[in-house]
Amino acid sequence: MGPAAVRISPTSWSAPDLTNWVDSVQVAYDRAVERDPDVVLVAHSLGCWAASGWLAANPGRSARGVFMAAPPDLNGQNFPREAASTFLDAPADPLSCASVVVASANDPYCTVDVAATIAADWGSPVHVAGSLGHINSASDTAGGMTAGHCWTRS
């Protein structure tokens, strides 16, 4: 992460609440735009749905783009329906800025086909990064952020 990067800090990590996460994106966006008005959202897993919700709720806000890694299938068998129930009805509406979705061929929370459908609904291209599980710190990402940076330019 660069010096202008800001992470979200929802209070509901253990029992994720979509409204709380969207509000956390707002707080992070406000902090980031003070540092650099050229904001790109970078989201992982449930954060993809929070970023999507924030973009839908803030059509007048300016984000240069959004990088979505490993969005989970909200209807998938491994989705934590009870713990993250407020995410279940999150719509996959077209995003208001440039975007890219990165998926894994063996993500336990989302098949490539579903990731492609979510990406299409968001109006995003999808890149399959290989077999990286849920694309997190446990993944073998030899390309690291270099590959991710290239995808943001596609």
Side-chain angles (χ1 to χ4, degrees):
M1 290 192 334
V6 179
R7 288 182 185 233
I8 67 168
S9 298
T11 58
S12 62
W13 282 115
S14 297
D17 176 77
L18 180 57
T19 300
N20 176 246
W21 282 48
V22 170
D23 291 347
S24 294
V25 173
Q26 180 67 59
V27 170
Y29 175 87
D30 290 343
R31 288 181 55 212
V33 81
E34 288 175 4
R35 298 174 184 189
D36 185 342
D38 195 21
V39 175
V40 174
L41 304 177
V42 177
H44 173 262
S45 193
L46 289 177
C48 298
W49 293 103
S52 172
W54 181 83
L55 287 165
N58 294 280
R61 296 290 184 140
S62 176
R64 182 175 179 193
V66 60
F67 180 93
M68 308 279 218
D73 176 358
L74 303 179
N75 297 307
Q77 67 180 15
N78 291 331
F79 186 78
R81 301 179 73 75
E82 203 168 300
S85 63
T86 61
F87 284 78
L88 292 173
D89 295 323
D93 294 330
L95 302 176
S96 59
C97 61
S99 58
V100 63
V101 171
V102 178
S104 169
N106 64 343
D107 187 337
Y109 297 103
C110 192
T111 66
V112 170
D113 289 342
V114 172
T117 298
I118 293 167
D121 290 346
W122 281 335
S124 308
V126 63
H127 294 278
V128 179
S131 295
L132 298 174
H134 194 50
I135 309 178
N136 55 27
S137 59
S139 301
D140 180 19
T141 54
M145 288 310 297
T146 302
H149 188 257
C150 290
W151 290 320
T152 62
R153 296 179 182 272
S154 65

